[in-house]
Amino acid sequence: MERWRGRVALVTGASVGIGAAVARALVQHGMKVVGCARNVDKIEKLAAECQSAGYSGTLIPYKCDLCNEEEILSMFSAIKTLHQGVDVCINNAGLAHNEPLLSGRTEGWRNMIDVNILALAICTREAYQSMKERHVDDGHIININSMGGHRMVPSADEHFYCATKYAVTAMTEGLRQELREAKTHIRATCISPGIVETEFAFRHHNSDPERAAAVYESIKCLKAEDIASAVTYVLSAPAHVQVRPK
């Protein structure tokens, strides 16, 4: 991770869970991390904790609604002005709603598309353009996906969410191919965890906290720090190694 010291990473959905754990890990390794979310209170608290712990990097909170393209573009413009640009983009933000295919609300489907697919695509595009204009040829784009992006969960509440994650799987492979065609050494990686014990299930089943708790009690779950370790492993791989799922 030494080569990333002092360089800039963007982590979306950095206020809680996997995003917060990834942001902390990258700051610990000396990176300048822009952590974005709709509510930055928790990111500001995390930034203070990182500073108190004496980590060599810095965490910069940034308020951004990923459903709004103008806010995303404004964020990238601010990063360019203040920090030159993005060297690593961690597309972590994602959400699920209980909206089955046969009875779900269009509003819920649209929100999942906006955050899980469109925001990821916009951030990827803008991160690549940031790297390209600065002749950064060793950048990295990491999509935090899900096992739901590789096999359909047998639960109607999850089907549309899984569809958005299948899209992430396809986009990551498409991105890898486009980067290769562009003859760049910028890498693309998709990390697809199973169940991770975060606030995700409680937000997904917000009207049934007992059901949410049962998700995490059913098996020995991954922790957010496990995914952060996977991110640092991917970033620390030699320049000629690309880690990606089949």
Side-chain angles (χ1 to χ4, degrees), residues 97-109 156-157 159-160:
H97 297 300
N98 294 338
E99 304 292 357
L101 296 173
L102 298 181
S103 59
R105 296 171 304 146
T106 304
E107 178 186 2
W109 293 342
D157 291 345
H159 290 161
F160 198 94

Side-chain angles (χ1 to χ4, degrees), residues 10-11 27 30 47 54 75 79-80 94 97 111 133 215 220 231 233:
L10 169 66
V11 179
V27 171
M75 174 175 66
I79 293 172
K80 179 179 180 179
H97 297 300
N111 189 220
E133 71 181 20
V215 171
K220 174 67 175 176
V231 169
Y233 167 76

Side-chain angles (χ1 to χ4, degrees), residues 2-246:
E2 187 60 32
R3 72 189 180 91
W4 294 113
R5 187 173 295 276
R7 299 182 69 180
V8 179
L10 169 66
V11 179
T12 66
S15 60
V16 295
I18 294 172
V22 170
R24 180 191 293 273
L26 298 185
V27 171
Q28 209 166 352
H29 284 286
M31 296 194 74
K32 295 178 184 176
V33 178
V34 177
C36 80
R38 285 178 300 173
N39 189 324
V40 295
D41 291 348
K42 291 180 179 179
I43 305 178
E44 289 172 347
K45 182 180 177 182
L46 178 59
E49 290 174 3
C50 289
Q51 187 174 15
S52 297
Y55 295 159
S56 54
T58 54
L59 176 56
I60 303 107
Y62 195 95
K63 182 178 175 62
C64 180
D65 181 357
L66 293 172
C67 292
N68 186 324
E69 182 175 7
E70 290 304 314
E71 289 196 22
I72 298 174
L73 298 180
S74 178
M75 174 175 66
F76 274 91
S77 178
I79 293 172
K80 179 179 180 179
T81 299
L82 299 172
H83 310 289
Q84 283 71 59
V86 171
D87 301 306
V88 172
C89 179
I90 313 289
N91 288 308
N92 164 75
L95 51 80
H97 297 300
N98 294 338
E99 304 292 357
L101 296 173
L102 298 181
S103 59
R105 296 171 304 146
T106 304
E107 178 186 2
W109 293 342
R110 184 175 289 115
N111 189 220
M112 284 185 271
I113 290 172
D114 284 345
V115 176
N116 299 359
I117 301 176
L118 285 177
L120 181 146
I122 295 167
C123 288
T124 295
R125 180 191 67 201
E126 296 304 311
Y128 171 71
Q129 293 299 331
S130 173
M131 296 173 199
K132 182 181 177 182
E133 71 181 20
R134 293 176 297 122
H135 306 290
V136 170
D137 196 45
D138 65 343
H140 210 134
I141 297 167
I142 299 175
N143 295 330
I144 305 298
N145 197 355
S146 165
M147 283 302 297
H150 303 273
R151 50 100 175 102
M152 187 60 69
V153 176
S155 169
D157 291 345
E158 312 286 344
H159 290 161
F160 198 94
Y161 168 75
C162 286
T164 67
K165 290 302 184 176
Y166 266 84
V168 173
T169 301
M171 288 195 297
T172 307
E173 175 57 18
L175 173 62
R176 187 190 68 82
Q177 293 185 16
E178 290 189 28
L179 290 171
R180 182 180 61 190
E181 290 168 7
K183 301 188 186 308
T184 174
H185 294 99
I186 296 168
R187 294 183 287 184
T189 298
C190 184
I191 295 175
S192 300
I195 299 177
V196 184
E197 189 171 356
T198 64
E199 294 184 9
F200 186 88
F202 290 96
R203 292 180 173 182
H204 182 27
H205 304 294
N206 57 2
S207 61
D208 192 349
E210 289 186 5
R211 182 179 177 186
V215 171
Y216 298 135
E217 292 168 359
S218 61
I219 62 170
K220 174 67 175 176
C221 299
L222 292 165
K223 301 292 186 183
E225 290 74 19
D226 298 324
I227 315 309
S229 294
V231 169
T232 55
Y233 167 76
V234 165
L235 287 172
S236 61
H240 65 284
V241 175
Q242 175 150 280
V243 181
R244 71 181 184 93
K246 181 61 180 172

